Structure formats: C-alpha cells, structure tokens
Amino acid sequence: MSDSKKITSWLPVEIKNQWMQAQEDSDLCKMVEVIDKKDWLGIKKAMYARFYVMQMEKAEKEKKPMTYTFDNLRSWRRSSAFKQIEKTIRKEYEEKFTMTGLMIVMSGTMVLFFLRALLAGIYLINFSVDAIVGVIGLVILVTNLQVKYRMIHSCTKSRDFLYMDVSSFLLSFLLKLMLPPNLDFTLVVLLVAYFVEKNKFSKILYSIPNEGR
C-alpha cells in the first residue's frame, strides 16, 4: 500500500473496502483525501464519506453528472439525504453503545465477583470453575471496552467516559471488599454509570453535525 493510501480509521467498513480497491486517482480516493484533512471528528467524516459514495453511486446509476463536489462540501449537510444519513449513523452508534455498555456491565460484574472470591478465598463452586468464568468475563469486558472506546474516540475528545468507567469499577471493587457478601452494590453502581454515560453519549451524537464548522 502506498503512502497516499494510509489506513484511515474513520472510514465505514463498506467504504473502506471500496477505497482499498480503487485507483489512487479515482474520485473516491480524492474524496477520502479531502475529508481526511478536515479538522473533524471521525464520525462526522464518516457521515460525509457515506453521503458522497451514496450520491456518486446514484449519479452513476442514473447516468447523470455528480452535483456534489469537494468545492461545495460544506453545503452537503443541507440536503435531506444527508440528514437521513446523520440519523442512520446516530442510530447505529446509539445501538452499539447500548449493546457494548450492557455487555460491559455484565462481564465487569463477573470479573469483580471472581476478584472478590480470589481475595477472600471463598469460591462459588471451586477455584477452577470460578477462574474460567472470571477469564471469560475478562475477555468479554476487554473486547467490548475496545469497541466502546473506538466509538467514543470517533465522537468526542473528552476523557469523561474513561474517568467515569475507572471510578465506577474502582468504587464497585472497594464496596465489594468492604461490605459483606450478602450486601452487594456492584451491579447498581455499574448500571448507574452506564445510564449516565448513555445519556451523555446521546447528547454528544446530536451535537456532532455542528462540530468543527
């Protein structure tokens, strides 16, 4: 791969596949290069890229000239088609955030239960079985955290989500150590953090179209 085709993380998967196979002087590659240079968040770049490809394919199908050019790029978002893409991408991100968030709560609870059992030396079944469950939970937790933070990174430069996750897991762990086993607030703390983050993330998604003007 040449230097002009460096990996561009913000590209939607379906467009990235087309881009990798396209000629370097093609309109698609030129579009990616122009948008990549914009001081925009990844999700906003993805909106413009998806819109351009959709309009390009529509023009080719109807055998009409492409009316959306790089010169009038900032006017694209005024079209109804662009607004529909904004809506679709917001929905995709919200659904993915919901799914990963719930998986993090579930797997995080599993990991904290195992850590508590390990420190206390008291296992639900035995060390081997509990350890297997703990490792499975850890794998699910790490995988979903990676997906979640790739998504967050494309939407905001704020580190509030990281601080909230670290605080909620630390608080849950401390409460688990300090309180008796029959009094557990792990799930409550993680769920509260999840709903607060979900609400904050939703607000960020709706503010993105006006970002980087």
Side-chain angles (χ1 to χ4, degrees):
M1 183 183 298
S2 65
D3 292 338
S4 61
K5 274 202 170 185
K6 65 182 184 300
I7 295 298
T8 307
S9 60
W10 54 265
L11 271 175
V13 175
E14 71 276 10
I15 296 177
K16 184 175 290 186
N17 293 335
Q18 296 178 47
W19 171 68
M20 295 286 286
Q21 299 171 12
Q23 297 294 324
E24 292 188 10
D25 60 348
S26 66
D27 289 341
L28 177 59
C29 288
K30 291 176 183 177
M31 177 274 295
V32 171
E33 185 177 354
V34 168
I35 294 178
D36 193 45
K37 291 178 181 178
K38 295 292 182 181
D39 186 23
W40 293 341
L41 293 169
I43 187 174
K44 186 171 181 178
K45 292 180 179 180
M47 288 176 179
Y48 276 79
R50 189 177 289 186
F51 174 77
Y52 183 84
V53 169
M54 184 183 75
Q55 294 302 319
M56 183 175 64
E57 292 175 346
K58 181 180 178 181
E60 290 176 355
K61 183 178 179 180
E62 297 177 352
K63 296 182 180 179
K64 294 181 178 179
M66 180 66 167
T67 57
Y68 294 96
T69 66
F70 308 133
D71 294 330
N72 61 17
L73 182 145
R74 288 185 179 274
S75 68
W76 296 2
R77 66 183 300 263
R78 290 199 290 268
S79 74
S80 58
F82 191 93
K83 294 183 185 302
Q84 183 59 45
I85 285 177
E86 287 181 352
K87 183 178 178 181
T88 299
I89 290 181
R90 277 199 301 265
K91 183 179 179 182
E92 291 174 357
Y93 270 64
E94 285 180 326
E95 289 176 349
K96 188 180 291 186
F97 192 90
T98 297
M99 181 179 67
T100 57
L102 291 176
M103 291 299 291
I104 288 169
V105 170
M106 180 191 73
S107 56
T109 301
M110 292 167 59
V111 171
L112 291 174
F113 266 99
F114 174 68
L115 289 177
R116 173 69 173 80
L118 185 64
L119 292 174
I122 303 174
Y123 304 102
L124 184 63
I125 300 177
N126 57 54
F127 173 77
S128 298
V129 175
D130 283 23
I132 291 173
V133 173
V135 169
I136 292 173
L138 182 61
V139 171
I140 296 173
L141 176 63
V142 171
T143 300
N144 281 276
L145 281 172
Q146 289 175 335
V147 173
K148 174 182 174 179
Y149 279 96
R150 278 199 299 269
M151 188 165 47
I152 289 173
H153 180 69
S154 72
C155 297
T156 179
K157 296 177 182 178
S158 172
R159 299 177 68 85
D160 290 350
F161 292 94
L162 177 61
Y163 298 147
M164 193 171 299
D165 278 339
V166 171
S167 299
S168 61
F169 273 95
L170 183 59
L171 177 59
S172 296
F173 183 63
L174 291 175
L175 288 175
K176 188 167 282 293
L177 290 178
M178 296 168 59
L179 298 175
N182 62 332
L183 191 60
D184 183 61
F185 289 99
T186 302
L187 188 59
V188 174
V189 172
L190 295 183
L191 278 175
V192 168
Y194 159 71
F195 282 113
V196 171
E197 289 185 18
K198 187 173 183 293
N199 183 59
K200 182 178 179 64
F201 187 71
S202 181
K203 290 180 179 178
I204 288 173
L205 286 176
Y206 280 87
S207 69
I208 282 172
N210 296 320
E211 174 272 334
R213 277 186 166 184

